Amino acid sequence: REDCYFDGVQRELQSRRLVHGTPQLWPLDLLRLSLDESWPSGAGLARESSNQKRPFSGGLPRIMKGPTRWSKGFIHVDEMAPLDPNVGLLSANIYLKVPEGDETDDGIPVLDLWPVGVRSRWDWYRNALLLSGLSSQDPEDQARLRQQLGEPLRICAHPGDLVLLCAQRPHAAIGFSSGTRVSLQCFVQHQGLEKRLLVDA
């Protein structure tokens, strides 16, 4: 199974760079190159820990069609861990298409983000009942989260925009009634300025 995955990664990386037979830079490749040039220790694809060191996937397309199940979005975190300035996980989303809606100068609302600062295990334990809802799709848990977390920061985007967020903070992709949202997503692991950023799906 592992060999099939890594063989598929190589085929996927090559095929995404061909548009009508012409080689082109895929947007997530451009993001990885930009991170490599700007981060002090560089950036690259995460690799397996075995002797072969084959690369993991560099990201995936995400397509959402309306009407979405959660009109306000599903509040969650991609990693349940206290915030640490030296270690963390970022989620990168490049929006290729956004559904029509209440457009502002900043674009169409795509994401709600709650700037919750859980910075220790004690914070997790103290708020365990509330934070356990971040891994649940129960409507009551979602309603409790919205009530307790308060008003979110609303993120808007135009096609072509990159949104990079801390995956340990509660967030929700805003729902919509009609249309399609297309984005490319990858995760970026960081372990301090002295270590390379690792990109994977």
Side-chain angles (χ1 to χ4, degrees), residues 83-160:
L83 296 175
D84 184 332
N86 299 311
V87 178
L89 182 69
L90 303 171
S91 173
N93 293 272
I94 300 172
Y95 291 91
L96 303 181
K97 181 177 181 181
V98 292
E100 293 183 9
D102 301 326
E103 187 165 1
T104 68
D105 291 341
D106 296 325
I108 299 288
V110 293
L111 190 72
D112 281 338
L113 176 68
W114 287 265
V116 175
V118 176
R119 298 187 182 278
S120 68
R121 288 188 181 186
W122 172 243
D123 284 344
W124 277 107
Y125 296 143
R126 190 176 54 196
N127 298 290
L129 182 60
L130 174 66
L131 297 176
S132 66
L134 294 169
S135 62
S136 166
Q137 294 195 20
D138 180 71
E140 289 183 10
D141 285 341
Q142 288 289 305
R144 186 180 309 111
L145 282 166
R146 287 193 181 276
Q147 181 181 23
Q148 296 287 325
L149 294 177
E151 287 297 313
L153 299 173
R154 179 142 291 180
I155 310 297
C156 298
H158 294 288

Side-chain angles (χ1 to χ4, degrees), residues 33-49:
L33 285 170
S34 298
L35 290 173
D36 188 44
E37 292 166 0
S38 59
W39 188 256
S41 300
L45 291 175
R47 294 182 176 269
E48 66 177 326
S49 55

Side-chain angles (χ1 to χ4, degrees), residues 54-100:
R54 295 172 292 188
F56 287 96
S57 171
L60 298 169
R62 296 177 53 105
I63 301 172
M64 292 178 69
K65 293 186 176 182
T68 55
R69 178 179 176 196
W70 300 93
S71 60
K72 293 182 177 180
F74 167 60
I75 304 174
H76 67 286
V77 293
D78 296 308
E79 182 175 70
M80 283 204 180
L83 296 175
D84 184 332
N86 299 311
V87 178
L89 182 69
L90 303 171
S91 173
N93 293 272
I94 300 172
Y95 291 91
L96 303 181
K97 181 177 181 181
V98 292
E100 293 183 9

